[in-house]
Amino acid sequence: MAIVKSGKVVIVLAGRHAGKKAVVVKTFEDSTSDKRFSHCLIAGIDRPPRKVTKAMSKKKVEKRSKIKPFVKYVNLRHVFPTRYVVDMDLKKTAGEEELATEDGKIEVKKALKKIFEERYLNQKSVTSEKKAVGSSYFFQKLRF
């Protein structure tokens, strides 16, 4: 599965976060001792930002731009890769060592929330047009 690489936007197909968008942080093509299947580490949006209009105040825009992230190991068969790519560097934030404990996982989620919200509010600063389209797709709620 060379299609699913880090930075690729995927849609989760099974489990609690089914129907949610996520970004692949790291893929594990071979099985490990605890997971006997090919899997990947994903970081995604559990609750997307709400609609914002020009008439809203700065305070209200900031409140409606809140994002709730999730981070999870998922079987590669349970994710659907899209054509979009995002250039967020999440490998340093969501490492395997931090996810081993519950407290570490909470800290990773806080860091992801900060990264996602910062990128959402500064979408115009993305240099590549392809990656700008990917990030705008990533932050939209999935309609189906």
Side-chain angles (χ1 to χ4, degrees):
M1 285 247 175
I3 296 168
V4 182
K5 295 178 183 165
S6 61
K8 179 73 97 173
V9 178
V10 296
I11 298 170
V12 183
L13 299 175
R16 178 182 180 178
H17 302 291
K20 306 287 185 202
K21 292 179 189 172
V23 177
V24 176
V25 178
K26 189 174 182 184
T27 56
F28 302 91
E29 297 293 330
D30 303 319
S31 60
T32 58
S33 59
D34 57 334
K35 293 176 179 59
R36 301 195 186 282
F37 47 85
S38 55
H39 57 283
C40 60
L41 175 63
I42 57 171
I45 298 177
D46 201 9
R47 188 175 32 214
R50 298 173 72 195
K51 187 179 176 184
V52 175
T53 61
K54 201 182 285 188
M56 290 181 186
S57 66
K58 199 171 189 177
K59 184 180 177 184
K60 191 163 189 175
V61 168
E62 202 168 294
K63 192 170 187 176
R64 292 176 75 92
S65 298
K66 298 271 188 251
I67 296 172
K68 182 181 178 188
F70 70 89
V71 60
K72 188 174 183 165
Y73 286 101
V74 180
N75 189 334
L76 277 176
R77 294 179 179 208
H78 297 164
V79 293
F80 182 77
T82 63
R83 63 182 177 180
Y84 299 103
V85 179
V86 178
D87 63 342
M88 286 187 271
D89 188 31
L90 302 172
K91 285 187 180 180
K92 296 172 189 156
T93 309
E96 296 171 56
E97 300 84 35
E98 291 95 3
L99 294 172
T101 63
E102 276 300 314
D103 294 334
K105 199 170 185 179
I106 291 168
E107 293 301 317
V108 168
K109 284 183 187 176
K110 286 179 183 175
L112 282 173
K113 179 182 172 95
K114 196 175 284 185
I115 290 171
F116 285 163
E117 286 178 1
E118 184 180 311
R119 173 50 69 86
Y120 176 69
L121 293 171
N122 300 323
Q123 287 186 48
K124 304 277 189 278
S125 65
V126 180
T127 54
S128 171
E129 188 177 322
K130 184 178 180 183
K131 301 217 164 115
V133 171
S135 72
S136 67
Y137 172 77
F138 177 64
F139 290 115
Q140 289 174 357
K141 187 176 179 185
L142 186 65
R143 303 268 179 219
F144 61 93

